Amino acid sequence: MPLHKVNIRPATMHDLPLLLKFEQEIINAERPFDVTIRKGAVSYYDIEAMIQDPQACIVVAEIEKKVVASGYAIPKKARHYLDHEYYAYLGFMYTDQQYRGKGVNAMIVDELKKWSESAGFKEIRLTVYNDNLSAIKAYEKVGFKKHIIEMRLA
């Protein structure tokens, strides 16, 4: 599938039902990496609020008018000792299984990087589970580098 047929655009309220399904797909994919995620229905994001928030950027990728991927960039307050007060945090990265490996996520990340830079952010971060090797590989492919590992006692 040629990449020129991918349209990256801001998410709208019309996209909300599908984006809520994407969120559940993300949660289901992450459960094997994190035994601390509660059983049953959970939600990571307030997608509706993010769509309406002028301080946030939530985008989708469309192929032939079908939404196949998503991602967001939001401002987060940096720790007080860092040389930047805020940074752009990327999340809600999801690509429909049949469109993975075709560069769609890279296009989402590129759009979020452009938004982050235009909003004045010099630092862009995201988090990924250490054992989620395919996601790590995808993020490294678009320029992210491992920075810190969060550890826990179980």
Side-chain angles (χ1 to χ4, degrees), residues 89-150:
Y89 179 81
L90 275 51
F92 191 41
M93 303 301 227
Y94 177 78
T95 302
D96 185 288
Q97 201 154 15
Q98 78 180 84
Y99 297 94
R100 292 179 188 166
K102 300 180 186 307
V104 177
N105 184 50
M107 295 176 77
I108 291 274
V109 170
D110 187 55
E111 186 67 22
L112 295 173
K113 284 171 41 178
K114 287 177 190 170
W115 177 87
S116 299
E117 291 164 1
S118 73
F121 296 106
K122 308 240 184 295
E123 181 81 11
I124 301 172
R125 297 184 180 207
L126 56 76
T127 56
V128 60
Y129 288 102
N130 191 53
D131 293 334
N132 192 345
L133 301 179
S134 62
I136 291 169
K137 183 179 173 183
Y139 296 134
E140 287 176 336
K141 203 174 190 179
V142 295
F144 282 90
K145 293 178 178 42
K146 292 178 185 172
H147 177 64
I148 190 167
I149 297 173
E150 181 175 311

Side-chain angles (χ1 to χ4, degrees), residues 28-37 129-134:
N28 289 336
E30 290 182 346
R31 283 185 193 280
F33 301 114
D34 190 343
V35 298
T36 67
I37 298 173
Y129 288 102
N130 191 53
D131 293 334
N132 192 345
L133 301 179
S134 62

Side-chain angles (χ1 to χ4, degrees), residues 15-36:
D15 300 313
L16 186 59
L18 181 60
L19 295 178
L20 292 171
K21 288 178 185 173
F22 283 4
E23 178 185 31
Q24 292 310 303
E25 292 291 329
I26 292 168
I27 293 165
N28 289 336
E30 290 182 346
R31 283 185 193 280
F33 301 114
D34 190 343
V35 298
T36 67

Side-chain angles (χ1 to χ4, degrees), residues 45-82:
Y45 319 108
D46 186 344
I47 299 167
E48 182 175 353
M50 281 193 290
I51 290 171
Q52 298 175 32
D53 185 351
Q55 302 277 330
C57 176
I58 184 165
V59 296
V60 297
E62 286 181 321
I63 297 176
E64 296 178 2
K65 300 195 181 199
K66 176 184 177 188
V67 174
V68 300
S70 64
Y72 74 57
I74 58 172
K76 283 211 173 182
K77 183 119 174 88
R79 295 180 187 241
H80 69 279
Y81 53 80
L82 296 177

